[in-house]
Amino acid sequence: MSTILARSTPRGRGALGIVRLSGPDALSLTSRIIEGPLEVEARRTTLHNLRDPHRQETIDQALVTFFRAPHSLTGEDVVEISCHGSPVVLRRIVDLTLSFGARLAGPGEFTLRALSNGKLNLAQAEAIRDLISSQTEAAAQQAVRQLKGELAAALAPLKKKLVDVIVLLESALEFVEDDLPAPQGEDIERTLDLLRGGIEKLASSYRAGHLLQDGISVAIVGSPNVGKSSLFNKILERERAIVTDVPGTTRDTLCEPVDIGGVPVLLTDTAGLRETANGIESLGIERTHRAMNDADLVVVVLDGSVQLTPGDLTILDSTQNTRRIVVRNKCDRSSFRMSGDEAWEQSSINVSALNGTGLDNLKTAILSSFDLTTLDSESLLVTNARHHDLLRQAQTELRSSQGLMQDHVSEELVLVPLHNALRFLGEITGETTTEHILSQIFATFCIGK
């Protein structure tokens, strides 16, 4: 097994930078760039001068921590060198160590070695990636739950029940000449129903889970000067978009991430929709239409203090078959008109982008559009598309097995989909995952993790 190394801190300058080595030669390679003898104890940090033996000059002072196998994150000997976060210094440490025989780690290779050495399962490995890429506190909490092994723990009793059914049918196939007794067959069907229910509970949580991880895209649209940019700024709680009284000020789409109730939302401010001969404004309006088509949710903003214009009616008509929220802005003005009898008016939200009135109602409506208002941080959510797909495939196999039992076919045929279901559940935690799939998964990791 080769010894790998990589930077474990982001590129750029910082107070600290970390170079991590893992493998049988991690300690000996480190000793070659240490000034004087390397005296380290496992799990203790010591201060050393780093030295370039070729130029006979000191590179930096660094803290060196040694983790002896198997008590390390990868299960191998691991050394972490914590030096000053200069890109020049870090590059020199990496280049020197490579010249002595180390190999640059591939994406996620440290975590892959941890998986290979039984330090974590595949679902936990993916949770490390999700934790690093999480955009909100709620998403980070879900990743930590999975990292702690909660998904594997939730799957364990389901897999045990499934194995029990398989063992029973295998035994019947081997030792029972006649068909299974009716009561025993009914017990198996009840168990399969329970299994399907347990898997459905996990799989159905993906609807909220993937939005928590991937986020929601929301486009704010409307006629010029209805207060789109003001509303955009109010939700962001900072002056991100330029706001003036001149119609057509916004000429391009402007995107910013924001945390709404723990859900990452990509909010897009757009150019006002109207007929125009201005070439630049027309390009902005084209981008508005693209943003509307790409968005998960469209927020249509109207000026509630004046009569609707033909342009407003056109926008309402063109968005009626999309997932949308209608917002009536400027409710702080004395000329603001209360909602009428139209269906869209009854469900519209009154806001003031000036003083923030109604903003909480709008945020709640955004989450309600995706059934996320009751997001429970205490519940385990499936956030990974691969996991969701495998759970659905396991459900399909269990359903197939039940159908075969009801048709009174032989146990041998009933067992085929049951074994498939067990394999799909095992793929979630990596027990039955092929090398090809593992390569695809770890290619999405960052180098150094």
Side-chain angles (χ1 to χ4, degrees), residues 21 38 118 121 125 153 182 211 227 242 244 306 329 358 368 383 396 409 418:
L21 297 90
L38 177 59
N121 60 50
L211 292 174
I242 296 173
T244 73
V306 298
N329 190 25
S368 297
T383 60
T396 299
V409 302
L418 292 181

Side-chain angles (χ1 to χ4, degrees), residues 117-392:
N117 292 321
K119 305 300 289 187
L120 39 68
N121 60 50
L122 184 54
Q124 289 174 304
E126 290 172 299
I128 293 173
R129 176 198 59 200
D130 293 344
L131 180 58
I132 292 171
S133 62
S134 59
Q135 303 174 63
T136 67
E137 185 178 333
Q141 287 176 343
Q142 284 299 322
V144 168
R145 293 176 72 108
Q146 190 168 307
L147 181 57
K148 288 164 61 179
E150 289 192 28
L151 180 56
L155 290 171
L158 300 176
K159 289 192 285 188
K160 183 182 182 304
K161 286 180 182 178
L162 183 52
V163 168
D164 289 344
V165 171
I166 289 173
V167 168
L168 186 60
L169 289 171
E170 292 278 11
S171 300
L173 185 64
E174 189 70 28
F175 301 112
V176 180
E177 294 183 2
D178 299 324
D179 292 337
L180 280 172
Q184 202 169 33
E186 291 170 0
D187 286 343
I188 290 175
E189 286 206 53
R190 278 193 293 270
T191 301
L192 293 180
D193 279 333
L194 289 172
L195 283 171
R196 283 177 55 194
I199 293 173
E200 174 59 31
K201 183 179 179 181
L202 282 173
S204 61
S205 71
Y206 178 70
R207 182 177 182 184
H210 89 93
L211 292 174
L212 197 64
Q213 187 66 37
D214 301 332
I216 301 167
S217 60
V218 177
I220 302 176
V221 303
S223 301
N225 269 30
V226 294
K228 300 183 300 301
S229 296
S230 297
L231 183 62
F232 179 76
N233 288 339
K234 203 68 176 180
I235 294 173
L236 295 179
E237 298 182 355
R238 60 192 177 96
E239 297 299 314
R240 179 64 180 88
I242 296 173
V243 177
T244 73
D245 293 331
V246 180
T249 298
T250 303
R251 298 290 182 92
D252 200 354
T253 53
L254 189 62
C255 300
E256 285 292 328
V258 62
D259 180 344
I260 297 180
V263 178
V265 174
L266 184 64
L267 200 63
T268 302
D269 185 25
T270 64
L273 294 170
R274 65 173 177 176
E275 294 292 332
T276 179
N278 186 299
I280 297 176
E281 189 176 356
S282 295
L283 290 174
I285 291 171
E286 286 180 19
R287 295 190 177 189
T288 296
H289 286 294
R290 286 203 298 269
M292 291 170 65
N293 292 331
D294 294 340
D296 298 313
L297 174 70
V298 173
V299 174
V300 178
V301 182
L302 305 172
D303 184 345
S305 66
V306 298
Q307 292 288 335
L308 292 181
T309 67
D312 294 330
L313 295 173
T314 299
I315 295 168
L316 287 169
D317 183 62
S318 65
T319 59
Q320 63 179 337
N321 294 322
T322 64
R323 181 179 281 165
R324 74 175 184 187
I325 297 171
V326 178
V327 170
R328 301 174 73 245
N329 190 25
K330 306 183 183 180
C331 68
D332 55 290
R333 294 189 177 182
S334 58
S335 59
F336 186 80
R337 299 176 302 104
M338 299 308 294
S339 299
D341 297 328
E342 296 285 345
W344 66 263
E345 290 181 292
Q346 294 298 310
S347 60
S348 65
I349 299 171
N350 299 335
V351 304
S352 169
L354 181 65
N355 60 29
T357 300
L359 207 61
D360 288 341
N361 292 336
L362 175 56
K363 291 178 179 179
T364 299
I366 290 172
L367 298 181
S368 297
S369 299
F370 301 91
D371 297 327
L372 294 174
T373 49
T374 56
L375 195 62
D376 183 6
S377 61
E378 298 302 314
S379 299
L380 176 66
L381 301 177
V382 172
T383 60
N384 187 303
R386 189 183 71 86
H387 300 169
H388 176 254
D389 182 55
L390 290 168
L391 288 168
R392 289 302 185 198

Side-chain angles (χ1 to χ4, degrees), residues 70-147:
H71 306 295
S72 70
L73 73 100
T74 63
E76 305 171 335
D77 282 354
V78 170
V79 174
E80 290 186 351
I81 302 171
S82 180
C83 60
H84 294 98
S86 162
V88 175
V89 171
L90 289 162
R91 180 73 261 170
R92 198 165 174 188
I93 294 170
V94 169
D95 287 344
L96 277 171
T97 315
L98 289 174
S99 72
F100 294 137
R103 175 175 65 78
L104 199 62
E109 191 168 356
F110 289 95
T111 308
L112 180 58
R113 289 193 175 195
L115 175 68
S116 301
N117 292 321
K119 305 300 289 187
L120 39 68
N121 60 50
L122 184 54
Q124 289 174 304
E126 290 172 299
I128 293 173
R129 176 198 59 200
D130 293 344
L131 180 58
I132 292 171
S133 62
S134 59
Q135 303 174 63
T136 67
E137 185 178 333
Q141 287 176 343
Q142 284 299 322
V144 168
R145 293 176 72 108
Q146 190 168 307
L147 181 57

